[in-house]
Amino acid sequence: MRVLVVEDEIRTAALLQRGLREEGYAVDVAANGPDAVWQAVESPYDAIVLDVMLPGLDGFEVCRRLRVQDCWAPVLMLTARDAVSDRVHGLDAGADDYLTKPFSFAELLARLRALVRRGAKERPTLLTVGDLRLDPSSRRVWRGETERPLSAKEFALLELFMRHPGDVLTRTTILEHVWDYAYDGASNVVDQYVAYLRRKIDEPGAESHLETVRGAGYRLRALDPSEGG
């Protein structure tokens, strides 16, 4: 397995490199943010151990840029910053796991093994369907370049559709994912919120991109900018 260690503290980088090599990993080291982005994009890594405090670009920005450039190698963030907000920031930037310093090397190895088992699957931090974009972390939605404010339920409903583009979602499926089991399945709440959402994301007079599939449910089709966008 090939691992990229991104750490500007020379002693820590050397310890990680030696320890990982002793475990059979092939290890490269980057000492700053820009080099880390370049190496990770240019070479196929099975995992990346990424420090947060780096010269040039911090670890959050490195991770964000990797995901934007379709680099999906699993990222384990290392940092001395243990505030919950920092962990949330790292995970929302696209990291897969988070380990605070000082840490046990045995735990780092276990976390790396777990990340490698999962593989480098695409996990975009922004959901995109046609010209519609949704950011789960900031809870913002754009149609083209225009932001579309949504209520909490409208946002949850759109996120569900955008995670399953082109799929027909039944009313029962929507109720189970956006509401809860206490809701009456015969309720028209789904139809009401689909109507609300259509008014928010569709252009006046244009065909709706939230299609009604008779006898089945609803489907989100790709939004073509030329269709009323």
Side-chain angles (χ1 to χ4, degrees):
M1 295 296 177
R2 189 176 184 188
V3 176
L4 175 63
V5 171
V6 187
E7 171 63 71
D8 67 319
E9 207 285 311
I10 296 175
R11 182 171 177 274
T12 301
L15 288 172
L16 286 171
Q17 186 178 44
R18 183 172 71 247
L20 289 169
R21 283 179 173 171
E22 290 175 353
E23 293 294 324
Y25 291 88
V27 184
D28 295 326
V29 175
N32 60 63
D35 284 353
V37 173
W38 180 80
Q39 288 179 238
V41 170
E42 292 297 319
S43 302
Y45 290 100
D46 296 291
I48 299 171
V49 179
L50 177 63
D51 189 38
V52 169
M53 303 302 292
L54 295 168
L57 299 169
D58 66 22
F60 301 131
E61 184 60 24
V62 168
C63 195
R64 192 174 294 109
R65 293 192 183 193
L66 293 182
R67 297 326 190 202
V68 167
Q69 295 184 60
D70 290 330
C71 175
W72 301 105
V75 171
L76 173 61
M77 275 196 164
L78 298 180
T79 181
R81 299 160 61 170
D82 61 355
V84 172
S85 59
D86 289 325
R87 296 198 295 273
V88 170
H89 191 183
L91 294 170
D92 279 342
D96 298 272
D97 202 357
Y98 207 103
L99 193 57
T100 56
K101 300 177 180 178
F103 54 84
S104 158
F105 188 70
E107 182 179 2
L108 181 141
L109 286 174
R111 289 177 181 268
L112 272 183
R113 288 193 295 268
L115 290 180
V116 170
R117 283 197 302 270
R118 298 175 202 166
K121 299 177 181 178
E122 294 189 10
R123 297 173 299 274
T125 52
L126 286 180
L127 301 179
T128 303
V129 178
D131 68 344
L132 188 65
R133 290 177 294 131
L134 181 147
D135 184 348
S137 63
S138 67
R139 304 191 69 76
R140 299 172 68 190
V141 172
W142 297 265
R143 173 79 191 275
E145 298 303 314
T146 305
E147 186 168 355
R148 304 295 174 98
L150 302 180
S151 70
K153 284 298 183 189
E154 290 166 351
F155 185 93
L157 180 59
L158 181 59
E159 182 175 2
L160 177 64
F161 278 117
M162 291 187 69
R163 291 191 183 277
H164 303 274
D167 293 347
V168 177
L169 302 182
T170 67
R171 289 171 177 80
T172 300
T173 297
I174 294 170
L175 280 171
E176 289 175 350
H177 284 80
V178 180
W179 281 268
D180 56 40
Y181 292 106
Y183 256 94
D184 178 4
S187 169
N188 67 346
V189 65
V190 170
D191 305 300
Q192 291 175 343
Y193 271 86
V194 167
Y196 298 156
L197 194 53
R198 282 172 170 160
R199 289 199 289 267
K200 297 286 185 72
I201 67 171
D202 289 332
E203 298 296 337
E207 182 182 359
S208 177
H209 298 291
L210 271 177
E211 297 179 318
T212 301
V213 181
R214 291 190 178 278
Y218 295 97
R219 172 173 54 208
L220 176 69
R221 64 186 178 89
L223 300 171
D224 185 340
S226 67
E227 298 181 40

